[in-house]
Every structure is written in C-alpha cells, then in structure tokens.
C-alpha cells in the first residue's frame, strides 16, 4: 500500500510536505469493512482517523441505549469529535461505524497537539473540521425540531446515498429506525408510503433512492 501516494492524492493540496512526511511516518493504515465499528462509546482513544475513501457514520447513544445519527465523515475528512476527545478525557463520546468499505490512516493522539502548534495547515484543517461538524450538528438539531418524520427519513436516505455515491442503500428497517431514534414499525410504514410516492424502491435489505 503506497501511503505516500494516497496522502498526496487526498491531502497534498492541504498539508505542507513536512507534515505529509510526518503523517506517512506515524500513521497506521486500516481498511474498515462496511458495518464494522471504528470507535465505540467509552473506548480509550489512541488515534484519530484521516479518511482516504468510503464513509463513516457517527452516532450518539442515550442513557437507555437508543442511538441517534449525528453526521457522516467522508473522504478527505476527519472526526473533530475524536480530536476533542483526544484533547480531553481520552475516551470516546461517540460510536463510529463504516457506512461503506473505508480506507483510512489512524494518527496517534500524541501528535495532535504538537501539530496544532507546529503546522498552520493542520490547525486550519482541524478548525475547518470543527466548523463543518458544528454545521452538521445544527442541521441535525433543526431536523429533529422542525421536520416531520417522513421528511427526516427522506433526508436521511438522500444523505446516505450521497456520502457513498450509491443510490442503492444496503440496510434494514431496524437499522434505519435506530439511526433516526424511532421504531421499526414507524420506519416500515413511512418507507412503504415513500415507495408509493415513487421516491424509493424497497428491496430485500436494501433501499433504492430515486429522488436525489
């Protein structure tokens, strides 16, 4: 695996050569299969992901074990919440699961603070990531507060299709219900309604999004 080539392809326009060289030296390459957990709640954080390909969904869990989807991390992104945990208690406040097969580098936590002061490009990258994630979190709040469940469901399906660049989503009604913090019965009813409206096509453990 040519890590140098991947870094230059996806991050060469962002980071100066010296930083790219350090990332290449300390980063650990990982291939995460679809559905595999990258990070778990309460897990000690030893590294922060830098994505080359694929998509990761980031979720929170309430005291009763119910999940809520916060946002997706796409190619060229990192997870600002992971960085925040690195700088704080050192344990994860989120669950991260591969939405599709994903290539990434895990960067050691020991380098995070050092690079913030050493490289302007790294500092700008992290601050931009914070801004992007905050905007997505605000969008999640607005979705919960102002959208009806059928609108939330359609937005969720479109978002998943866009981050994977694939209008055929491999999933179950139960998984969708968990991500949207609702019941499987409600999701199944609304999916059938969306299919009747010609916006999606339901298959066995998959959903084809027609209205992108």
């Amino acid at each position: 695996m040519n890590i140098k080539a991947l870094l230059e392809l996806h991050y060469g326009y962002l980071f100066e050569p010296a930083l790219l060289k350090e990332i290449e030296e300390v980063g650990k390459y990982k291939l995460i299969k679809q559905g595999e957990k990258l990070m778990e709640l309460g897990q000690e954080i030893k590294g922060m992901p830098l994505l080359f390909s694929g998509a990761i969904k980031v979720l929170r869990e309430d005291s009763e074990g119910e999940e809520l989807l916060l946002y997706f991390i796409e190619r060229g992104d990192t997870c600002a919440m992971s960085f925040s945990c690195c700088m704080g208690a050192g344990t994860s406040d989120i669950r991260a699961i591969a939405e599709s097969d994903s290539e990434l580098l895990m960067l050691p936590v020991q380098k995070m603070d050092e690079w913030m002061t050493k490289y302007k490009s790294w500092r700008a990258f992290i601050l931009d990531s914070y801004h992007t994630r905050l905007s997505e979190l605000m969008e999640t709040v607005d979705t919960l507060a102002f959208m009806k469940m059928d609108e939330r469901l359609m937005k969720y399906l479109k978002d998943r299709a866009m981050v994977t660049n694939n209008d055929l989503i491999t999933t179950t009604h139960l998984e969708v219900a968990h991500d949207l913090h609702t019941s499987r019965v409600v999701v199944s009813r609304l999916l059938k309604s969306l299919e009747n409206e010609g916006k999606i096509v339901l298959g066995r453990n998959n959903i084809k999004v027609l209205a992108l």
Side-chain angles (χ1 to χ4, degrees):
M1 181 57 57
N2 192 332
I3 301 301
K4 182 179 180 180
L6 286 171
L7 282 170
E8 289 178 348
L9 175 63
H10 298 295
Y11 295 94
Y13 69 99
L14 279 176
F15 301 145
E16 51 264 75
L19 176 54
L20 289 171
K21 187 173 186 300
E22 282 203 51
I23 292 174
E24 181 188 358
E25 290 172 352
V26 302
K28 292 186 177 180
Y29 175 84
K30 283 193 174 184
L31 175 61
I32 308 296
K33 296 294 185 181
Q34 181 181 9
E36 185 178 342
K37 287 182 184 178
L38 175 62
M39 197 173 296
E40 183 56 281
L41 288 159
Q43 176 184 331
E44 180 186 1
I45 295 180
K46 297 180 180 180
M48 189 180 80
L50 201 62
L51 251 67
F52 291 139
S53 66
I56 306 291
K57 67 178 179 181
V58 176
L59 309 105
R60 283 278 285 172
E61 186 179 283
D62 65 18
S63 58
E64 298 179 354
E66 297 291 333
E67 290 181 334
L68 176 65
L69 175 67
L70 298 180
Y71 53 78
F72 292 97
I73 307 171
E74 301 176 67
R75 183 180 63 189
D77 284 346
T78 189
C79 181
M81 292 188 73
S82 298
F83 180 79
S84 180
C85 293
C86 289
M87 297 295 99
T91 56
S92 176
D93 293 329
I94 59 168
R95 175 176 293 126
I97 301 173
E99 176 67 15
S100 60
D101 291 353
S102 302
E103 288 183 291
L104 54 90
L105 275 189
M106 291 301 293
L107 306 178
V109 296
Q110 296 85 353
K111 290 291 183 178
M112 301 299 98
D113 192 39
E114 175 188 331
W115 290 346
M116 284 290 284
T117 56
K118 189 175 179 180
Y119 296 110
K120 289 182 179 180
S121 64
W122 179 258
R123 183 165 63 251
F125 175 64
I126 293 298
L127 292 176
D128 183 65
S129 178
Y130 268 119
H131 180 266
T132 301
R133 299 291 89 84
L134 179 60
S135 296
E136 289 171 340
L137 287 173
M138 291 299 293
E139 186 177 342
T140 298
V141 171
D142 287 346
T143 298
L144 288 168
F146 305 120
M147 280 189 176
K148 295 185 293 183
M149 182 55 73
D150 60 335
E151 294 172 327
R152 284 180 59 200
L153 176 57
M154 195 64 221
K155 180 182 182 303
Y156 163 86
L157 294 174
K158 287 181 178 180
D159 286 348
R160 286 189 67 170
M162 284 190 287
V163 297
T164 59
N165 197 30
N166 188 348
D167 60 7
L168 186 65
I169 303 169
T170 302
T171 189
T172 65
H173 293 193
L174 184 60
E175 180 189 349
V176 174
H178 284 164
D179 285 351
L180 294 178
H181 209 288
T182 187
S183 72
R184 185 190 60 78
V185 173
V186 168
V187 165
S188 295
R189 174 173 56 82
L190 291 176
L191 285 173
K192 191 61 182 176
S193 177
L194 290 173
E195 185 177 45
N196 291 337
E197 292 172 16
K199 295 179 178 179
I200 63 172
V201 175
L202 297 175
R204 183 174 178 82
N205 291 335
N206 63 66
I207 302 167
K208 185 174 180 63
V209 183
L210 301 177
L212 287 176

